């Protein structure tokens, strides 16, 4: 039986759909506000759609739709390393495939946390790859939606630590 666990939310059509709704709402509002001027309504609707889909959503895409999976041999994740990759993911989510990195290609990893009111909250796992790149694996979605968020984080930290033969995990504070 193949072991695989998923974390965070999977990429889907929602960012594009929300951008279209936002653009239509702004366009309709401008159309009504400016005495039924259809040209201005369409223009402002398109501008609002573009701002939402190529400026606002790409900024938050890794934390909103940063699905990643871990199995016995590798970690799979969406590569959002450039702005253009994020925009492509919004407009073509079905064609966006996850990248996979073998545990042999991971040099080390860290757990990034923050502290609020004497409570530590994990945010993401940072993988340091042997090619010099870093990969951030978001934990925030699971912390909000999972029935046992602490158990999810504990499990993945223990699992990666064992796979990489590290004695401990380095904890970084933001």
């Amino acid at each position: 039986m193949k072991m695989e666990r998923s974390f965070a939310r999977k990429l889907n059509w929602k960012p594009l759909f929300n951008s279209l709704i936002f653009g239509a709402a702004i366009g309709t509002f401008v159309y009504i506000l400016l005495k039924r001027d259809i040209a201005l309504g369409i223009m402002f609707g398109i501008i609002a759609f573009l701002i939402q889909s190529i400026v606002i959503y790409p900024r938050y895409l890794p934390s909103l739709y940063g699905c990643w999976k871990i199995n016995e041999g590798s970690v799979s994740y969406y590569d959002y390393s450039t702005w253009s990759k994020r925009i492509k993911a919004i407009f073509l989510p079905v064609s966006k495939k996850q990248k996979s990195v073998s545990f042999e290609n991971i040099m080390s990893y860290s757990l990034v946390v923050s502290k609020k009111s004497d409570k530590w909250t994990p945010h993401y796992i940072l993988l340091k790859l042997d090619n010099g790149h870093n990969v951030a694996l978001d934990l925030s979605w699971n912390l909000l939606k999972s029935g046992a968020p602490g158990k999810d984080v504990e499990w993945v930290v223990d699992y990666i630590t064992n796979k990489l033969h590290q004695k401990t995990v380095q904890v970084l504070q933001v």
Side-chain angles (χ1 to χ4, degrees), residues 11 78-80 85-86 88-89 92-98:
L11 184 62
Y78 287 118
D79 181 9
Y80 295 133
K85 288 179 182 179
R86 294 177 187 195
K88 181 180 178 188
L92 300 167
V94 175
S95 70
K96 184 76 172 166
K97 303 293 181 215
Q98 287 191 321

Side-chain angles (χ1 to χ4, degrees), residues 42-52:
I42 290 172
M43 183 180 73
F44 275 90
I46 290 171
I47 290 170
F49 164 75
L50 291 174
I51 289 172
Q52 179 84 357

Side-chain angles (χ1 to χ4, degrees), residues 47-76:
I47 290 170
F49 164 75
L50 291 174
I51 289 172
Q52 179 84 357
S53 63
I54 66 175
V55 176
I56 296 172
Y57 258 118
R59 179 177 178 170
Y60 299 104
L61 201 63
S63 59
L64 292 174
Y65 298 95
C67 179
W68 56 280
K69 297 175 187 169
I70 189 167
N71 62 37
E72 293 173 18
S74 64
V75 177
S76 301

